[in-house]
Amino acid sequence: MHYADVAKYLKRRRALNGRLLIMPTEAGMPSDPSPAQAADIITRRKLSEYTWSTSFHPSFIRDLTFEGFLCISSELAGSSNSPLYVLVPKLHHMRCVIDLSQNKLHISKNIRKQSKKYWITFNRDFEQVVLGCIEQHGENWLYPPMRCALKDLRRDCKSGGSLEPTTFRALSIEIWRGDFNDEASWELVAGELGIAYGSVYLSLTGYYNHAVSGAGSVQLGALGAALKEAGVLLWDMGQGQGTEYKYDYGAVDVPRADFLQLQRAHRNNDFW
């Protein structure tokens, strides 16, 4: 379906509400407005947090993320054989962040103690982390075109237990328990999907095994420690309201304009 038809559908449903359309002229080509222009327009005019597009091209999502948007997706209409999905780049009024450059990360003694039973890897089991997120939260915003885009954004990533330098990539974080020397005993107890670029890490979504006490807390604590060790300076945690546990780790909410200023200060630093 062409984006003009989508717009007509949204207007009939009163779903646009002044949201800005960002649409590449064709796959992989510049958009009108550009992601940078869209971020400026939304900030200056104090527009809605949500924008929309029918393009899921990986380079488009990359450019939006680089300008401070957090890209999710939504299912609007259609049949089971032909569902209609749209990309929903979000630029929050308030963004939840941990400024690692100012040593704002807080990991409690209890979490540090619990973490000794687990270990963390990156991009070892991307598919299972995706499935874990869907099993815990439902498809929510991880609809098929969004999953495909994230897979494309991590194709050149190395798998294993360490972070490798790169400019921009999607990645998975895995938390395991079991005998470290016996891979057959490994059990994936928590995971997260995120995007790394410059010296910024953006958390997208995560899950944990509710039957394993403290797995979710360990996942955040271990990830924070790994990000700091890797040289990340800004941990972008997305939405803060409704996820108050993030504040226990040193996160604060910052207004949109302040977030963009902070994000731009770190997005070009090549620490990954």
Side-chain angles (χ1 to χ4, degrees):
M1 181 179 290
H2 191 271
Y3 77 86
D5 298 322
V6 178
K8 291 178 182 178
Y9 170 82
L10 288 170
K11 287 177 180 178
R12 289 199 303 270
R13 294 284 300 274
R14 297 183 179 180
L16 274 178
N17 294 325
R19 296 176 184 175
L20 185 66
L21 166 65
I22 311 174
M23 192 67 196
T25 52
E26 57 182 275
M29 297 299 290
S31 62
D32 184 17
S34 70
Q37 291 170 334
D40 179 63
I41 291 169
I42 292 167
T43 303
R44 285 190 294 103
R45 299 182 185 176
K46 299 181 180 180
L47 299 182
S48 166
E49 295 182 324
Y50 297 96
T51 64
W52 67 282
S53 178
T54 56
S55 173
F56 284 87
H57 196 279
S59 64
F60 182 49
I61 293 176
R62 177 201 63 204
D63 293 345
L64 286 163
T65 304
F66 193 72
E67 295 301 335
F69 290 91
L70 193 161
C71 293
I72 57 178
S73 60
S74 180
E75 182 178 8
L76 293 182
S79 66
S80 58
N81 294 327
S82 183
L84 172 61
Y85 301 111
V86 293
L87 184 71
V88 184
K90 185 177 182 182
L91 197 56
H92 302 69
H93 292 301
M94 300 291 291
R95 195 69 156 249
C96 184
V97 302
I98 298 181
D99 189 348
L100 298 176
S101 70
Q102 300 298 317
N103 295 314
K104 297 298 184 179
L105 177 66
H106 173 71
I107 304 174
S108 70
K109 291 182 179 179
N110 183 49
I111 292 176
R112 292 178 187 275
K113 183 178 180 180
Q114 286 182 307
S115 296
K116 295 178 181 179
K117 305 175 184 178
Y118 306 90
W119 60 93
I120 185 171
T121 59
F122 297 85
N123 284 320
R124 185 179 182 90
D125 203 340
F126 184 89
E127 294 289 349
Q128 189 56 50
V129 172
V130 170
L131 290 175
C133 291
I134 293 174
E135 287 174 3
Q136 182 164 322
H137 305 295
E139 273 194 311
N140 197 0
W141 61 268
L142 272 175
Y143 291 105
M146 192 70 201
R147 299 201 296 267
C148 288
L150 291 175
K151 289 177 185 177
D152 284 342
L153 287 169
R154 66 170 291 277
R155 278 183 175 173
D156 60 349
C157 301
K158 297 180 179 180
S159 63
S162 62
L163 296 174
E164 299 291 338
T166 189
T167 302
F168 187 104
R169 67 173 175 181
L171 45 81
S172 62
I173 292 90
E174 303 91 15
I175 298 295
W176 308 84
R177 71 172 180 177
D179 183 348
F180 184 80
N181 296 312
D182 179 12
E183 189 171 341
S185 73
W186 291 11
E187 178 188 5
L188 185 61
V189 298
E192 176 172 311
L193 300 175
I195 292 177
Y197 61 99
S199 58
V200 180
Y201 173 75
L202 167 62
S203 287
L204 294 175
T205 187
Y207 82 99
Y208 64 95
N209 186 337
H210 289 270
V212 180
S213 178
S217 299
V218 168
Q219 184 256 314
L220 285 173
L223 174 57
L227 294 177
K228 188 174 180 180
E229 183 179 352
V232 174
L233 300 178
L234 179 65
W235 186 357
D236 179 2
M237 305 186 85
Q239 179 75 28
Q241 186 177 6
T243 55
E244 280 72 17
Y245 61 86
K246 296 176 182 177
Y247 306 127
D248 294 337
Y249 295 84
V252 296
D253 289 328
V254 295
R256 177 188 284 162
D258 293 342
F259 163 71
L260 290 175
Q261 183 177 12
L262 185 63
Q263 185 253 5
R264 278 151 177 66
H266 297 306
R267 66 182 183 180
N268 290 312
N269 296 329
D270 193 12
F271 279 87
W272 286 87

